[in-house]
């Protein structure tokens, strides 16, 4: 599990940082395209764009620690699209180091969970466990933890809201540059 966790954390963080930096520099149009494509499938695309605009306004002028905390909260949230957020945050004033460290810290719990799940399944299957029984038991266990997962989701949303409020308190929001295009400036 530790080796798998390290490899997946490195790979996902590197991929996220690559998209972030591409969007921050020469790939602004590509970032906009990817965001629009991912959000096109979402039923609540307008709500997502509004939330991304709130995050953008919250990040403007935020300290390194505030940006880092916001990034950790974004990565812990199961509802924020990973790819779209990489490109979207590249269009903001998010510092690359805050993005990188926040991504690393925020994805680690998810990676440990999935790596542990995979290692456990491998162990059981090697011992001759019936896959259908294994999946049925896994489904029962997941159902028994649904309340905890909902609480974690609500806690993550509350943390994200607190970060946005703390970074925007007492500031006039910037409505974007004249002629700027893209979902974050509509």
């Amino acid at each position: 599990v530790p080796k798998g966790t390290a490899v997946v954390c490195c790979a996902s963080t590197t991929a996220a940082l690559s998209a972030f930096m591409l969007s921050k520099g020469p790939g602004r149009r590509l970032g906009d395209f990817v965001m629009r494509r991912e959000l096109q499938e979402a039923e609540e695309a307008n709500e997502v764009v509004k939330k991304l605009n709130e995050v953008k306004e919250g990040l403007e002028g935020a300290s390194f620690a505030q940006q880092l905390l916001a990034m950790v909260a974004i990565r812990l949230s199961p509802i924020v699209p990973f790819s779209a957020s990489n490109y979207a945050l590249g269009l903001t004033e998010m510092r690359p180091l805050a993005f990188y460290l926040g991504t690393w810290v925020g994805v680690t719990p998810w990676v440990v969970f999935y790596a542990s799940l995979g290692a456990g399944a491998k162990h059981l299957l090697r011992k001759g466990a019936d896959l259908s029984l294994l999946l049925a038991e896994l489904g029962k266990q997941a159902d028994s933890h649904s309340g905890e997962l909902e609480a974690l989701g609500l806690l993550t949303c509350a943390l994200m809201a607190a970060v946005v409020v703390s970074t925007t308190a007492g500031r006039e929001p910037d409505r974007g540059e004249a002629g700027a295009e893209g979902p974050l400036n509509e």
Side-chain angles (χ1 to χ4, degrees):
V1 174
K3 288 180 185 177
T5 298
V7 168
V8 174
C9 280
C10 282
S12 61
T13 303
T14 300
L17 187 62
S18 297
F20 174 81
M21 293 305 290
L22 182 66
S23 184
K24 203 164 232 359
R28 290 184 80 77
R29 292 184 73 202
L30 175 63
D32 181 50
F33 171 77
V34 170
M35 284 178 41
R36 285 184 188 277
R37 185 168 180 150
E38 280 201 19
L39 296 176
Q40 202 172 35
E41 297 172 8
E43 291 178 17
E44 299 118 1
N46 289 334
E47 285 299 313
V48 172
V49 170
K50 282 198 303 191
K51 291 297 179 192
L52 288 173
N53 279 324
E54 288 176 21
V55 169
K56 179 184 177 192
E57 290 174 3
L59 290 173
E60 292 174 359
S63 71
F64 177 83
Q66 290 169 322
Q67 288 184 355
L68 178 65
L69 183 61
M71 198 64 237
V72 170
I74 287 169
R75 292 305 186 209
L76 286 173
S77 172
I79 58 172
V80 177
F82 191 81
S83 297
S85 66
N86 297 333
Y87 289 104
L89 291 167
L91 301 173
T92 68
E93 292 182 17
M94 169 73 75
R95 293 172 184 88
L97 185 60
F99 177 87
Y100 178 78
L101 293 175
T103 295
W104 187 277
V105 171
V107 300
T108 299
W110 292 108
V111 171
V112 168
F113 170 73
Y114 287 119
S116 298
L117 186 63
K122 177 183 170 184
H123 177 73
L124 290 172
L125 291 173
R126 280 193 173 166
K127 290 201 177 261
D130 182 4
L131 184 59
S132 61
L133 291 175
L134 178 65
L135 292 175
E137 181 60 29
L138 207 58
K140 287 179 192 173
Q141 289 182 11
D143 284 344
S144 70
H145 295 288
S146 64
E148 293 152 349
L149 292 174
E150 288 175 14
L152 178 62
L154 289 173
L155 180 63
T156 302
C157 290
L159 180 60
M160 290 172 65
V163 169
V164 169
V165 167
S166 72
T167 57
T168 58
R171 286 193 322 196
E172 291 276 331
D174 180 18
R175 298 293 177 202
E177 300 172 359
E181 297 179 10
L184 294 178
N185 290 323
E186 292 180 342

